[in-house]
Amino acid sequence: MAIRVKDYTNKQSPLSPGHRLCPGCGAPTAVHQGLMAVDSPLVVVNATGCLEVSTTVYPFSAWRVPWIHTAFENAGAGVSGVEAAYVALKKRGKISEDIKFVTFGGDGGTYDIGLQSLSGALERGHDFTYICYNNQGYMNTGAQRSSATPRGTNATTSPAGSVVPGKLQKAKDLTAIAAAHNIPYVAQTSLYNMTDVAEKVKRAVETPGPAFVNILVPCVLFWGIDPALQQDICKQAVETRFWPVYEVVNGEWKLTYKPRKRVPVEEFLKPQGRYRHLFKGEEGAKMLQQAQADIENDWVKLLQRCGETWTPEE
Amino acid sequence: MPEVAFWQGNEAIAYGALAAGCRFFGGYPITPSSEIAEIMAEELPKVNGRFIQMEDEIAGMAAVIGASIAGLKSLTATSGPGFSLKQENLGLAYMAEIPVVLVDVMRGGPSTGLPTKIAQQDVMQARWGTHGDHGTICYSPASVQECYDITVKAFNAAERYRQPVLILSDEVLGHMREKVVMKKLDPTQLVNRKRPNVVPEKFIPYLADPKDDLPCMASFGDGYRWHVTGLTHNDWGFPTNNPEEIEKKMKRLMRKIDRFRDDIVEYETAFTDDAEILVLAYGSVARSSLSAVNEARSRGIKAGFFRPVTLWPFPDKEVEKLARKIKTIIVPELNCGQMVLEVERAVHGRSKVVAQSLVDGELFKPDQIFKVIEEVA
């Protein structure tokens, strides 16, 4: 489903400028790039989080499409109701248009408190797309750890200190969990490449039945990065294989980008303030080794799932 | 020498909990309570305690119940939406008689409401939020110092009466900074749950001492057999459908708080001796109210001040006694009128009760309350 960005440059984004998200925030970019190539009329369901709170500051809304804010834990259930009502209204001839339903949730509202609600919606088979804009922490409430926060991260509820080097647990593999629901389309991507995000979300939306897209986006404030580095940091996440990009279509796993050269994880971690402590002392060095080991292990597993033998050049 | 600190209310609650012997925190970040979790995350490991961030508030409440059963004094903290999510497990703690402390730093509701704004809309939820009958112990601090002191008291009450104890703070108090003096606590000021005083074979987990209606509590791993369930149970902790056993359990759950009502109830008064008008307020609103009462006194209006420190049990007898000689009671609240119903119930029509509601996300300014005092004077 190749798309040409040029074809969409004049298309209005469902999210207008003037919202209150931070400069360099990855969440609005995920919305713009993701929905860029979607041609159908949309309804957006938004879980509580930065995207919700900062795009709807009274008396303004930045959304140009029908939009509903649920609570923190129930975006999956909320969209289920909206989609089911649409199906019923359509059947009775009250709606003639083909409307698509897209849900946005951060990693807190998706990996943690909203997982049950998401799982239920995926299993019931509603025709909708769930997009997780994953910035690896509870950034709206001040950078607490989430189950998407990587090992070794300094977060306010997993603080790095002289004894404990930040979060000790590995991030949950939510994309694989979504794929385990045997739904027609699952994808993982990041803001490293505009067309990849646009193509995957377009495919997700146009696929009948439930679809899930996990997009790694930076939080400028709590990743501690230069706002201008949004795309670069995402690129490093993909090149270091810290965040491999792939899709799972009807159960078939496929790598959608193969990094040519082997790039050490430090290239992704070093520019970020939340990993500053890893570049000091013995404990930090151990955590860096661990981070690289995690990547290698996950890569082997992913290759197996994809039936690939690709290894980046040294 | 007492140590002095300049803290936010949320910090005072966290350090108060540590001073009370709290060694476990299970919770989930939510504005405006997150600082409590953040401090516990940093401080608990230093005292061999354990902090766990759970996947949601439901899990946070369940984890503190588990930790308490395992033998640690346990705390969770939240705000409106999280308080709603915790209600079912709160009921489990009432039913299974598990000591835990739950802090709700109140913000505006319903639903997501006003995450960064003050409200007092959870007062009735604190009393009746979980389904089923139970006694409630709920404290309402009005200063940062009191946040510290009350948290110690709350742990003591939870341990003593073997049930959850609630602290209703609010957004202003949670984020306001004031001086706090940390009084040295000696071990005699800290209450610990009654441990079994019989050999494991003779232990009947919910058999209460008739002198206090409180059963002894074993910890998991102590060797005492204890069946923990949310089903209505008999003295052995096993589910029962026997009407006598059901009634025995339910009546005792209520009685274990009712009979100690006078020990639990706390309140503060000012200028009540000759008062004709009484302002009854709690939490941050009590600060504006006392200021308004002082202003009224300076202008010769006979105004008095009453602050329930325990919202539940409500100091109804004390309010009723005052109502005999007071013309009008003003109840300013940051909700559409919740505690005022309890005041009306307590005074039995002996004085006029005037509700003053503010639900715009702001705290009362003293002159707003003073104006009402002037009107009724």
Side-chain angles (χ1 to χ4, degrees), chain A residues 72 113 138 144-145 156-157, chain B residues 28 31 38 53 55-56:
Chain A
F72 200 13
I113 193 168
Y138 290 85
Q144 293 85 12
R145 58 92 90 186
T156 50
T157 50
Chain B
Y28 191 69
T31 308
E38 290 172 1
Q53 184 178 312
E55 69 274 18
D56 59 27

Side-chain angles (χ1 to χ4, degrees), chain B residues 73-241:
Chain B
K73 291 186 182 178
S74 302
L75 174 73
T76 188
T78 190
S79 184
F83 193 41
S84 292
L85 286 173
K86 287 181 192 293
Q87 294 298 332
E88 192 199 3
N89 273 306
L90 186 59
L92 170 60
Y94 283 120
M95 182 57 112
E97 300 183 59
I98 312 298
V100 295
V101 175
L102 193 171
V103 180
D104 172 20
V105 185
M106 288 186 285
R107 69 192 217 185
S111 191
T112 313
L114 298 163
T116 57
K117 298 270 193 182
I118 186 175
Q120 296 180 313
Q121 299 173 14
D122 306 347
V123 172
M124 284 295 170
Q125 188 185 16
R127 178 67 189 95
W128 302 111
T130 192
H131 61 278
D133 278 327
H134 56 85
T136 303
I137 302 176
C138 173
Y139 291 98
S140 162
S143 69
V144 176
Q145 177 71 54
E146 209 177 30
C147 283
Y148 184 86
D149 298 339
I150 268 183
T151 306
V152 176
K153 261 182 212 166
F155 272 97
N156 283 348
E159 293 289 312
R160 179 163 174 203
Y161 302 110
R162 258 197 83 169
Q163 71 160 31
V165 171
L166 312 177
I167 299 173
L168 287 194
S169 175
D170 59 58
E171 190 279 330
V172 166
L173 198 52
H175 290 151
M176 175 172 70
R177 285 186 185 276
E178 287 185 312
K179 185 175 94 168
V180 179
V181 181
M182 284 165 279
K183 295 155 206 151
K184 274 260 170 323
L185 295 168
D186 65 72
T188 59
Q189 288 168 286
L190 299 179
V191 177
N192 290 303
R193 59 194 70 168
K194 279 201 299 187
R195 297 285 180 182
N197 48 12
V198 293
V199 292
E201 296 72 38
K202 293 264 172 74
F203 180 58
I204 303 172
Y206 287 99
L207 182 66
D209 185 338
K211 284 202 288 279
D212 59 10
D213 280 310
L214 296 164
C216 296
M217 185 168 164
S219 296
F220 279 176
D222 279 358
Y224 288 86
R225 205 182 143 97
W226 176 21
H227 185 82
V228 183
T229 176
L231 287 159
T232 305
H233 44 259
N234 57 23
D235 284 350
W236 285 269
F238 283 95
T240 178
N241 282 319

